[in-house]
Amino acid sequence: MWLLHDYGNRKVRRMAEDTGLDFTDQIYALEAKYQQALRDLYTHLTPIQRLQIARHPNRPTVLDHILNMTEKWVELHGDRAGYDDPAMVTGIGSIEGRSYLFIGHQKGRNTKENIMRNFAMPTPHGYRKALRMMKYADHHGFPIVTFVDTPGAFADLRSEELGQGEAIAYNLRAMFGLKVPIITVVTGEGGSGGALAIGCANKLLMLENSAFYVASPEACAAILWKSSQAAPKAAEKLRITAQEHYRLRIADGIIPEPLGGAHADPFWASQQIKHAILDAMAELGRMNSEQLLHQRMLKFRSIGGFQEGIQVEPERKRNMKLSEANTPPADLESELANLKKKILEAKGPSDPVTIQVLEKLQEDLDTEMTKAFIAMGLDDKIKSLKLELQRAPILDQPLNKSLQEKADKIMQEFKQKLSQPGAYLGLKQKLYTVNMASRLIELKNKSEKIKNEVNQKITTTVKAKIDRLNAASQKLRNGDSLDTNLVEEVEKAKKELKDVLRSANLEIVGTRKRTNVAVPPELEEEVAKVNAEIKEEMERAVTRSDLSEKIEELKAEIVKDSNSEKVKELETEIREGIAATLSVTPVKKKVENLREKLASLTKDDADSKVVPENGRW
């Protein structure tokens, strides 16, 4: 717009010179239109547009502002560790006869200067230089003025090796202990910890078109929307502008810029910064050292949502999504009940229902395992082991000793981290479910096998006698008496059936007569009521005796090895703990009363009495 205006203005002036006519009114009209268009444009800037102004290559740098504000200026160099970082500028300057220590990020005017200044991204040496100067100012009583204009700290490998994070963290801690006034002015963009490392101040001031953010809009868009094209949307969501920071009480003031940005009139912009610094110093100069420290602490505590003198809620509700790697299990009992029902209703191991259940379980388990390995930091180790396995010359041979040791070490670390209480609950649930499904399918296969063997060995004659047994049982249930011949046939059929079962390698543990006691309806209701009370009392017992942790530990041990001694010990401890708590409750008396009533019912009918055989009931 400025180029179009300049071009139009020059064209009108040239026409006036060539023709000798007076075009003053037309020039004034063009000037007025240009100013009005400029005002309209810069009054309704979007966050991403303000960020573009803050990044303008002609925007005045920190040294420009310092030289425009100060009467005297001496730049200081070095961190006393062998390197002077040009991205961080420090020095002493005077404003209206008072000395200040100035620290700031310095950008370049062109590509060559930007490379030399490292695009205003300091290394650890730069932050240590700033820290040395801040301690110097604290010792001599100089107020500190910092200028923030950086995309962030330089995050190359060398900087990380030299302790970039430690240098920033040390500055954050040290600035809260400085006993002199600290004023921070955000002149361009302030990126994350690289900006905050010199920004823990008593007063934070921001130029009208500056920005302060934890991550650049481009980086945020690439993470959340997988494309840097969504940067305008990210800039709005991040609330990076000076106006948003002032509204949120992070910034203490907004310094106006000339129309068109600070680069439109750098000297005027620098003078506005100077006046803002003097006004802030007039307020901070009335405080002693203890008051300055307290005010700085309260400022950042209020940013975090805390206010002195107001009681903090002991528990604050957070609407946050739980980590999927540590998601607590759903209703495990109902899930297992549904699983058992599906497997038992299936017609065999090759039944589509069984196959579908197993595939779904295995898919869920693989997903949870992958998430857990990544969360545990074992992903790289597993990839490395896979590469070594692929390079092995013979695949059908057993693993060599070194690979076996690596695999065992990974599994040992995995089991150790998995066994931590409350960790990886989603994975533990999936493992427990798969384990139970495997047991159910194994039992079903065994029962099917036994059933087939028994059916093969049972002859047609024996099957007819079994039908006679069933008919006799039905007569007894109906209350009919059996004649002598039928009783003899029943006993003979029992003996033949035992012989068939023994021939199928099945051990006969014992037999018992059916109990045909007619329980009154009121007694059935009482039994149901007592069962409900027992269930409630058991839940209370678990809570009172702190057995919930042992139950969680038992689940974790079952996942690792269901037949281990630890599992048996935990089961015994849990049973004893529940029994000890229940033994002193009134429910025990009700159970004893029910037993007496049932015993009195069975006494009246000798045929309904349960007869022990082979030492078993």
Side-chain angles (χ1 to χ4, degrees):
M1 180 176 286
W2 180 83
L3 290 174
L4 291 174
H5 160 71
D6 186 56
Y7 173 74
N9 202 353
R10 281 190 285 110
K11 190 174 180 180
V12 172
R13 290 182 187 278
R14 193 180 299 114
M15 286 176 62
E17 292 174 359
D18 293 343
T19 59
L21 299 175
D22 185 9
F23 289 100
T24 306
D25 293 340
Q26 285 83 350
I27 292 173
Y28 286 156
L30 282 174
E31 290 281 357
K33 285 184 180 179
Y34 168 72
Q35 292 296 328
Q36 185 59 42
L38 205 61
R39 255 191 305 275
D40 293 341
L41 177 63
Y42 280 86
T43 304
H44 305 94
L45 291 173
T46 62
I48 196 67
Q49 288 174 334
R50 291 193 183 275
L51 181 60
Q52 290 168 352
I53 295 172
R55 293 172 175 173
H56 197 284
N58 294 332
R59 194 172 178 83
T61 64
V62 169
L63 283 176
D64 293 332
H65 289 305
I66 291 175
L67 294 173
N68 287 336
M69 289 189 299
T70 59
E71 296 93 24
K72 295 180 182 179
W73 160 251
V74 177
E75 186 175 351
L76 303 174
H77 299 272
D79 66 339
R80 297 298 184 266
Y83 180 69
D84 178 43
D85 189 352
M88 187 74 75
V89 172
T90 61
I92 298 175
S94 62
I95 301 176
E96 295 186 357
R98 183 169 186 174
S99 295
Y100 294 82
L101 182 83
F102 293 96
I103 302 171
H105 305 98
Q106 177 64 24
K107 285 185 176 180
R109 287 285 182 206
N110 49 46
T111 304
K112 185 177 179 180
E113 286 186 13
N114 271 320
I115 292 174
M116 191 271 289
R117 296 285 182 180
N118 201 29
F119 296 87
M121 293 188 290
T123 63
H125 293 282
Y127 293 111
R128 286 167 185 147
K129 176 169 77 170
L131 179 64
R132 183 175 77 85
M133 296 305 169
M134 285 188 281
K135 289 181 178 179
Y136 177 83
D138 189 46
H139 177 74
H140 291 282
F142 295 149
I144 300 172
V145 179
T146 65
F147 294 92
V148 172
D149 187 12
T150 178
F154 195 46
D156 69 326
L157 180 61
R158 183 62 178 161
S159 296
E160 296 298 331
E161 289 174 349
L162 292 173
Q164 184 73 283
E166 181 268 345
I168 293 173
Y170 201 93
N171 278 27
L172 296 177
R173 185 184 70 175
M175 290 189 77
F176 282 98
L178 299 177
K179 298 179 181 179
V180 294
I182 305 175
I183 301 169
T184 295
V185 182
V186 184
T187 59
E189 58 178 331
S192 191
L196 197 60
I198 60 169
C200 298
N202 296 94
K203 293 289 183 180
L204 175 64
L205 308 173
M206 297 182 69
L207 284 177
E208 185 180 352
N209 294 313
S210 62
F212 211 163
Y213 49 74
V214 68
S216 67
E218 292 83 4
C220 178
I223 294 169
L224 296 181
W225 291 282
K226 310 301 180 186
S227 171
S228 59
Q229 300 298 320
K233 183 178 180 181
E236 292 181 8
K237 300 294 183 182
L238 286 171
R239 300 180 181 180
I240 63 175
T241 62
Q243 292 73 19
E244 287 284 359
H245 283 78
Y246 183 71
R247 185 180 64 83
L248 295 170
R249 298 183 181 179
I250 297 172
D252 298 292
I254 300 175
I255 303 173
E257 295 184 28
L259 201 61
H263 53 279
D265 192 347
F267 184 79
W268 188 86
S270 299
Q271 293 305 306
Q272 297 303 310
I273 295 174
K274 175 183 174 181
H275 295 322
I277 290 172
L278 292 174
D279 291 342
M281 276 304 303
E283 179 183 346
L284 297 176
R286 293 191 290 268
M287 300 181 186
N288 58 32
S289 299
E290 294 300 323
Q291 290 172 332
L292 285 170
L293 291 171
H294 190 62
Q295 187 269 347
R296 199 178 305 146
M297 180 196 70
L298 292 182
K299 172 180 171 55
F300 282 86
R301 281 176 67 83
S302 65
I303 291 174
F306 299 97
Q307 295 181 10
E308 298 299 318
I310 299 177
Q311 187 175 1
V312 181
E313 298 178 23
E315 294 183 4
R316 299 182 67 183
K317 294 181 180 179
R318 307 287 185 186
N319 186 19
M320 297 177 69
K321 181 182 177 182
L322 292 172
S323 171
E324 293 183 0
N326 196 24
T327 306
D331 190 356
L332 188 58
E333 292 182 4
S334 61
E335 185 177 342
L336 288 175
N338 293 333
L339 176 64
K340 184 177 179 181
K341 184 179 178 182
K342 287 180 180 179
I343 293 175
L344 293 179
E345 288 178 354
K347 297 179 180 179
S350 59
D351 186 82
V353 177
T354 310
I355 295 172
Q356 186 179 1
V357 168
L358 289 176
E359 288 179 350
K360 180 66 169 61
L361 283 174
Q362 194 59 48
E363 184 181 343
D364 292 345
L365 181 60
D366 291 342
T367 303
E368 289 293 336
M369 288 283 281
T370 303
K371 292 177 182 177
F373 276 121
I374 294 172
M376 292 177 184
L378 300 175
D379 192 37
D380 293 336
K381 293 181 181 180
I382 292 173
K383 288 179 180 177
S384 176
L385 185 62
K386 284 182 179 178
L387 288 175
E388 292 186 26
L389 287 171
Q390 290 173 359
R391 293 170 189 163
I394 303 174
L395 297 177
D396 56 347
Q397 294 294 327
L399 291 178
N400 59 49
K401 189 175 180 182
S402 61
L403 287 178
Q404 186 65 49
E405 287 177 356
K406 285 184 180 179
D408 293 341
K409 190 175 180 181
I410 292 173
M411 286 308 299
Q412 185 179 0
E413 187 176 351
F414 172 75
K415 288 180 179 179
Q416 183 180 359
K417 292 182 178 180
L418 184 66
S419 62
Q420 295 175 358
Y424 308 101
L425 300 180
L427 175 59
K428 288 178 181 177
Q429 177 185 354
K430 295 292 186 300
L431 285 170
Y432 184 71
T433 307
V434 170
N435 192 14
M436 292 299 297
S438 301
R439 285 187 182 182
L440 287 170
I441 292 171
E442 185 181 353
L443 290 173
K444 185 175 180 183
N445 291 341
K446 284 183 178 179
S447 65
E448 290 288 336
K449 184 179 178 182
I450 292 170
K451 184 178 177 181
N452 292 333
E453 289 180 0
V454 171
N455 287 335
Q456 289 175 2
K457 292 182 180 294
I458 293 178
T459 61
T460 308
T461 308
V462 176
K463 286 182 180 178
K465 291 182 178 180
I466 291 174
D467 293 337
R468 295 281 289 172
L469 275 174
N470 292 332
S473 299
Q474 185 63 39
K475 278 189 174 185
L476 288 173
R477 282 194 290 269
N478 295 335
D480 300 336
S481 59
L482 300 179
D483 55 15
T484 308
N485 294 332
L486 187 57
V487 172
E488 291 178 357
E489 287 184 13
V490 167
E491 291 299 328
K492 190 175 179 182
K494 282 182 181 181
K495 185 180 178 184
E496 291 182 6
L497 187 58
K498 286 181 182 180
D499 294 337
V500 170
L501 293 175
R502 286 194 181 96
S503 65
N505 296 323
L506 294 175
E507 181 185 356
I508 310 300
V509 176
T511 59
R512 65 187 179 91
K513 295 181 180 180
R514 291 186 179 273
T515 304
N516 299 311
V517 181
V519 181
E522 60 272 10
L523 193 57
E524 287 184 354
E525 293 178 2
E526 191 174 349
V527 170
K529 187 177 179 182
V530 171
N531 282 334
E533 290 182 11
I534 290 173
K535 187 176 179 181
E536 292 178 3
E537 193 59 36
M538 286 182 71
E539 291 176 357
R540 293 195 197 100
V542 169
T543 306
R544 284 198 299 266
S545 56
D546 295 330
L547 292 174
S548 55
E549 294 183 1
K550 289 189 180 293
I551 292 172
E552 291 297 326
E553 187 180 355
L554 176 62
K555 289 180 181 179
E557 290 295 331
I558 289 174
V559 169
K560 291 191 286 185
D561 185 4
S562 59
N563 297 320
S564 65
E565 292 296 328
K566 183 71 174 176
V567 170
K568 295 177 182 177
E569 291 176 6
L570 287 171
E571 288 177 347
T572 304
E573 289 180 14
I574 292 169
R575 286 197 197 98
E576 290 176 354
I578 294 175
T581 312
L582 287 175
S583 62
V584 295
T585 59
V587 177
K588 187 176 180 182
K589 295 181 180 178
K590 294 183 180 180
V591 173
E592 293 296 334
N593 292 335
L594 277 176
R595 284 179 178 171
E596 291 177 2
K597 290 180 181 179
L598 288 171
S600 64
L601 286 173
T602 55
K603 234 180 219 182
D604 299 334
D605 193 348
D607 293 334
S608 65
K609 187 177 179 181
V610 177
V611 181
E613 187 173 321
N614 293 340
R616 305 208 179 200
W617 289 90

